[in-house]
Amino acid sequence: MSKGVLLDIAGVLYQGDKPLADSAEAVSTIRGTGLPVRFLTNSTRRPKRVILDKLQGFGIDADATEILTPAAAACAWLEENGLAPHLVIHPDLEEDFAACSKSGPGAVIVGDAGRFFTYERLNAAFRLIKDGAPFLALASNRVFRDTDGELSLDAGAFVQTLEYSSGKNALLFGKPSPTFFRSAVQSMGLEPADVTMIGDDAESDIAGALKAGLGAAFLVRTGKYQIGDEARYEPRPTATADGVRAAVELVIKGRG
């Protein structure tokens, strides 16, 4: 029986600049049961402020304290280790690193920079990593559903480029990092086995959540979902639903 719910955002609650069907109602239904909710995103092109504004603009009941982003996790890690960020990210995300220290040794931070991934930026990051700088990846997703409705390269391809050339593995801060899932679970005061994940990415959202010890993970056929995803990665989804409302109904049904 689920005692808390983690929701992916892009591809589950909205796509681009449009809310997905019944997303606001689905979140309201969860809250109506008294279950705590956390919103987990691997989005590294938009700052947390913009994500919250979009959710609230679509009538989705969300609070800033309930949204967990890789950027926030990375900032906390930098502060804990006394490091300054060398950013390879989209300019729009830079505000989420504004409070980070500008002094101290540098750590390379890679997110989805989109068209701002240039040879010069990647090569500069490579040289820093090669010389010993810590290497942090905000996400490792293969693809995302772009604003034109087609799939596009996500940050994972560029993270792997730097890993291949430097011979060093990145420290991952977004999904499917078990630490990322567990930090969300801990923020609700729950155990992983008591929490359900709902997402559109069978690899990062679903398999990642189950590997992190979550009790259930429901894959929705929206966002980046492609036919056959439910059988493509292990562990497989607990169940597959047409959309977030149907997934929430499964959560409630499981509570008896």
Side-chain angles (χ1 to χ4, degrees), residues 119-140:
Y119 175 81
E120 288 75 17
R121 292 186 78 184
L122 288 168
N123 198 46
F126 157 70
R127 290 177 175 178
L128 289 171
I129 296 167
K130 177 180 64 67
D131 290 340
F135 177 18
L136 283 60
L138 299 181
S140 62

Side-chain angles (χ1 to χ4, degrees), residues 32-48:
T33 67
L35 293 174
V37 180
R38 294 294 183 270
F39 303 89
L40 270 65
T41 178
N42 266 16
S43 175
T44 57
R45 283 196 186 184
R46 299 290 180 265
K48 183 175 179 178

Side-chain angles (χ1 to χ4, degrees), residues 7-238:
L7 288 167
D8 183 31
I9 299 178
V12 174
L13 300 176
Y14 62 67
Q15 187 65 58
D17 292 324
K18 295 182 179 180
L20 290 171
D22 301 322
S23 56
E25 292 80 358
V27 174
S28 294
T29 297
I30 297 172
R31 294 198 186 281
T33 67
L35 293 174
V37 180
R38 294 294 183 270
F39 303 89
L40 270 65
T41 178
N42 266 16
S43 175
T44 57
R45 283 196 186 184
R46 299 290 180 265
K48 183 175 179 178
R49 171 186 58 81
V50 171
I51 293 170
L52 177 61
D53 287 348
K54 287 185 72 171
L55 288 172
Q56 294 179 339
F58 294 143
I60 296 169
D61 183 10
D63 183 83
T65 60
E66 298 172 322
I67 300 173
L68 281 76
T69 68
C75 285
W77 188 91
L78 289 171
E79 181 178 0
E80 181 180 342
N81 289 275
L83 298 170
H86 175 90
L87 299 173
V88 186
I89 61 174
H90 195 284
D92 289 349
L93 189 66
E94 290 178 0
E95 68 178 71
D96 281 3
F97 288 89
C100 291
S101 174
K102 304 299 187 295
S103 60
V108 174
I109 314 289
V110 179
D112 178 16
R115 64 187 180 86
F116 297 95
F117 275 127
T118 64
Y119 175 81
E120 288 75 17
R121 292 186 78 184
L122 288 168
N123 198 46
F126 157 70
R127 290 177 175 178
L128 289 171
I129 296 167
K130 177 180 64 67
D131 290 340
F135 177 18
L136 283 60
L138 299 181
S140 62
N141 299 69
R142 301 173 191 271
V143 297
F144 69 98
R145 185 73 61 183
D146 216 330
T147 54
D148 62 0
E150 299 293 332
L151 294 178
S152 289
L153 286 172
D154 210 332
F158 301 94
V159 170
Q160 288 203 7
T161 293
L162 290 171
E163 288 181 328
Y164 175 78
S165 294
S166 69
K168 298 181 181 180
N169 293 326
L171 179 60
L172 179 62
F173 282 83
K175 299 171 289 185
S177 166
T179 302
F180 194 58
F181 286 107
R182 290 169 188 161
S183 65
V185 170
Q186 290 169 3
S187 75
M188 296 188 286
L190 299 173
E191 294 297 323
D194 296 327
V195 177
T196 296
M197 176 72 198
I198 298 174
D200 67 323
D201 188 321
E203 184 177 20
S204 292
D205 295 338
I206 306 306
L210 294 172
K211 288 178 181 177
L214 271 68
F218 298 145
L219 177 66
V220 294
R221 300 186 187 95
T222 54
K224 69 175 66 174
Y225 170 84
Q226 298 183 81
I227 295 173
D229 276 356
E230 49 267 85
R232 194 161 283 136
Y233 304 102
E234 296 289 344
R236 296 186 181 186
T238 307

